[in-house]
Amino acid sequence: MPSIITHAAVPLALWCAADRGRIPPRLLGAGVIAAMLPDADVLAFALHIPYADAFGHRGASHSLLFALVLAVLAAVLAFFGSRRPSSAPPCQPSLASTVQAAAFVFVCAASHPLLDALTSGGLGVALAWPWSEHRFFAPWRPIRVSPFAPQFFSARGLATLLSELRWVWLPLAGAVIAWKLIHPAPAAPRDLS
């Protein structure tokens, strides 16, 4: 797996590429959590669930179904979270904002197993769970697999961070810069008074 820090790169890059205010801070936070959440399955090791089990590391929580469930949850929270208290006038949530929240969270959550599939180690990711427990790897795997916590602050951990910088952070930063050059932010309206 890439380090937990690097899984936040995709939501942060999308936020940087979007027009100012397009992705509100709460949605960005939800995207970062969704991008990191699949690795909560490391608790399976403490519960003695085998790595290769459907509920082991890189199993069900690394599936596209899991990303879809998080997206639906985001849509529900966006829908009901945009309503005002009963004392305020009724506010109809925007369908576009609900769909945007779901799409953003889905992309952020799905980025996690896709990045993991690009790593040099592990058992692959169960993208198609529950329909298949097959573990997938990308045909090209340039990202060094991250060591677990006790070894993270070692020479191997540093090599992993440098690999992530090269293969994830720098390409995403380049993509954001290119996007901003191609699609500059709209100019602020002028005050003609």
Side-chain angles (χ1 to χ4, degrees):
M1 70 181 167
S3 65
I4 196 76
I5 299 162
T6 292
H7 283 298
V10 171
L12 291 171
L14 291 171
W15 178 75
C16 288
D19 291 337
R20 186 173 299 186
R22 177 77 187 245
I23 299 173
R26 286 177 55 187
L27 183 55
L28 173 61
V32 168
I33 290 168
M36 294 176 171
L37 190 60
D39 274 344
D41 68 4
V42 296
L43 295 173
F45 293 127
L47 299 172
H48 304 290
I49 297 171
Y51 190 155
D53 189 84
F55 294 99
H57 184 52
R58 290 186 173 185
S61 68
H62 285 61
S63 68
L64 294 178
L65 178 64
F66 184 77
L68 182 63
V69 168
L70 291 180
V72 169
L73 180 62
V76 168
L77 291 174
F79 182 81
F80 290 109
S82 64
R83 293 183 171 225
R84 298 176 189 229
S86 59
S87 61
C91 172
Q92 197 64 326
S94 159
L95 177 61
S97 66
T98 302
V99 170
Q100 175 188 341
F104 181 73
V105 168
F106 178 81
V107 167
C108 294
S111 73
H112 184 112
L114 296 177
L115 283 174
D116 279 1
L118 291 168
T119 61
S120 62
L123 296 180
V125 292
L127 281 174
W129 182 88
W131 299 278
S132 170
E133 289 188 25
H134 177 76
R135 301 287 183 108
F136 295 91
F137 267 118
W140 181 58
R141 299 182 294 172
I143 304 169
R144 289 182 58 105
V145 70
S146 178
F148 287 107
Q151 300 171 337
F152 189 74
F153 297 102
S154 66
R156 183 172 166 221
L158 179 61
T160 298
L161 289 175
L162 291 174
S163 171
E164 292 171 357
L165 178 67
R166 177 180 182 189
W167 296 110
V168 180
W169 290 95
L170 290 176
L172 285 174
V176 167
I177 291 168
W179 179 261
K180 288 295 194 179
L181 290 173
I182 295 169
H183 296 91
R190 294 186 203 176
D191 185 13
L192 300 175
S193 51

